[in-house]
Amino acid sequence: MSWKGLIHEYRDYLPVTGQTPQLTLHEGNTPLIRLDKISDQWGIDLYVKMEGTNPTGSFKDRGMVMAVAKAKEAGSSTVICASTGNTSAAAAAYAARAGMRSIIVIPEGKIAMGKLAQAVMYGAEIISIKGNFDRALKMVRSISETEPVTLVNSVNPYRLEGQKTAAFEICDALGGAPDILAIPVGNAGNISAYWKGFKEYNTAKNTGLPKMFGFEAEGAAAIVHNQVFEEPETIATAIRIGNPASWDLAVNAREESGGLIDEVSDSEILDAYRKLAATEGIFAEPASCASLAGLYKMLIRGLVPHRSRVVAVLTGNGLKDPSTAIDCHDITPVSLPDDEEEVCAYIRGVVRQ
Ligand code: F0G
């Protein structure tokens, strides 16, 4: 049977009624891939949840299909969100699919090119502000209280409902929860959604519970330092957030699961980003690689027991942010004349080295 999307597949676990539109772009059902080489190197059993294979290239599709369907069900015609890029791409796509209007507010100059291209293509009304994500979120939260628009940031509870389904898929693929779930933390909605999902599935199917390991970027590590970062900064623009909306829920996930929330530097993120692509053939966006970078850091600290079964969530596709990929490499194409002999001589030098 072909996959019909989250609202259809998980309706028993979601706040779906007879009136909920059967909205879908066939989101969910993403691959769980074992990292064979890195597992061997690190002495653990390591998998990645490939959320970049969702229809708009990030995990946001899971939450957005629910939030937009429920907005439509309630009779709304317009959705609004603040975003570092992925939320806005998903909101714009699902709004288009549902025949609704989308308005997005983004931090100027700090959103990856692929994400902006998506918002443009899906026909969003795009507002770029000089401030950062936290400022944009504050604005849309208050605007949505007075104007006829539905807020679809993760403070909308339907977002977490949709996003929790990734935890179900992991349990189904592995036959139970992993020992550790490693995940990037930005606005802190996703770590909260996964924890909700693991708990609900454990209640329904006795699948067990993982320790939740969340990772913020060092320049935007509000939860780690227990203080708001007024000027968050990181190369991982998706998680460039200084005052996470789901702060308390994330702390709760950490406490209840016996896990941790720590931070990773930009250079640790970029090391993981390059290693993942070059050794396993998987290209995930920089923010996604905070999960892997953080896991490695905890491994070195002795906090990941030998042979643990670990899932790292790769939240978004690498193609979202081609500039970072190109900027963080020395490799540039070799320029040769249009001459087969010269090209061949060069290649011979490479393959016979
Ligand atoms: N990874 C990626 C690729 C993201 O886009 C985000 C958040 C996160 C991780 C963090 O997830 O916020 O639930 O803790 N992006 C939001 C956006 C903020 O606007 O697209 P979180």
Side-chain angles (χ1 to χ4, degrees), residues 10 17 25 30 35 38 52 62 84 129 136 140 166-167 207 216 223 276 296 301 327:
Y10 291 116
T17 70
L25 287 166
T30 58
L35 301 187
I38 299 180
R62 293 183 185 272
T84 57
I129 63 160
V140 296
T207 39
E216 295 183 297
I223 300 174
L276 180 65
Y296 182 63
R301 268 191 211 159
D327 292 348

Side-chain angles (χ1 to χ4, degrees), residues 58-60 82-88 115 133 153-154 159 163 184-191 238-239 241 285 287-288 315-316:
S58 88
F59 72 97
K60 303 288 181 179
S83 182
T84 57
N86 282 326
T87 297
S88 52
K115 303 175 188 180
F133 170 85
N153 279 105
S154 56
R159 282 280 311 279
Q163 284 172 213
V185 174
N187 212 24
N190 211 25
I191 189 173
I239 53 172
I241 295 172
E285 71 168 283
S288 297
T315 45

Side-chain angles (χ1 to χ4, degrees), residues 145-320:
E145 278 167 22
T146 57
E147 305 309 312
V149 294
T150 305
L151 182 65
V152 292
N153 279 105
S154 56
V155 290
N156 176 326
Y158 296 121
R159 282 280 311 279
L160 299 201
E161 289 296 321
Q163 284 172 213
K164 77 185 179 188
T165 58
F168 301 168
E169 291 175 14
I170 290 172
C171 292
D172 285 340
L174 295 176
D179 300 315
I180 293 170
L181 185 97
I183 187 167
V185 174
N187 212 24
N190 211 25
I191 189 173
S192 310
Y194 268 82
W195 182 237
K196 187 174 199 293
F198 282 121
K199 286 197 296 185
E200 287 182 13
Y201 227 46
N202 186 42
T203 303
K205 302 194 170 194
N206 213 13
T207 39
L209 295 169
K211 285 188 176 9
M212 302 295 286
F213 280 23
F215 298 103
E216 295 183 297
E218 211 173 74
I223 300 174
V224 176
H225 295 278
N226 199 26
Q227 70 178 59
V228 171
F229 277 46
E230 296 292 346
E231 303 287 340
E233 212 42 83
T234 167
I235 193 159
T237 53
I239 53 172
R240 184 175 167 270
I241 295 172
N243 188 9
S246 297
W247 191 321
D248 292 346
L249 288 176
V251 168
N252 181 61
R254 176 187 72 192
E255 298 305 314
E256 280 186 4
S257 74
L260 54 85
I261 297 179
D262 213 308
E263 62 190 342
V264 282
S265 68
D266 282 0
S267 81
E268 288 165 335
I269 290 173
L270 291 177
D271 284 349
Y273 175 65
R274 283 183 291 245
K275 183 180 174 77
L276 180 65
T279 60
E280 302 281 2
I282 294 171
F283 185 23
E285 71 168 283
S288 297
C289 298
S291 60
L292 210 60
L295 181 66
Y296 182 63
K297 204 168 166 174
M298 297 306 110
L299 189 90
I300 300 295
R301 268 191 211 159
L303 297 174
V304 183
H306 194 57
R307 295 194 189 287
S308 299
R309 191 162 63 168
V310 182
V311 173
V313 182
L314 298 179
T315 45
N317 193 304
L319 289 171
K320 293 263 191 180

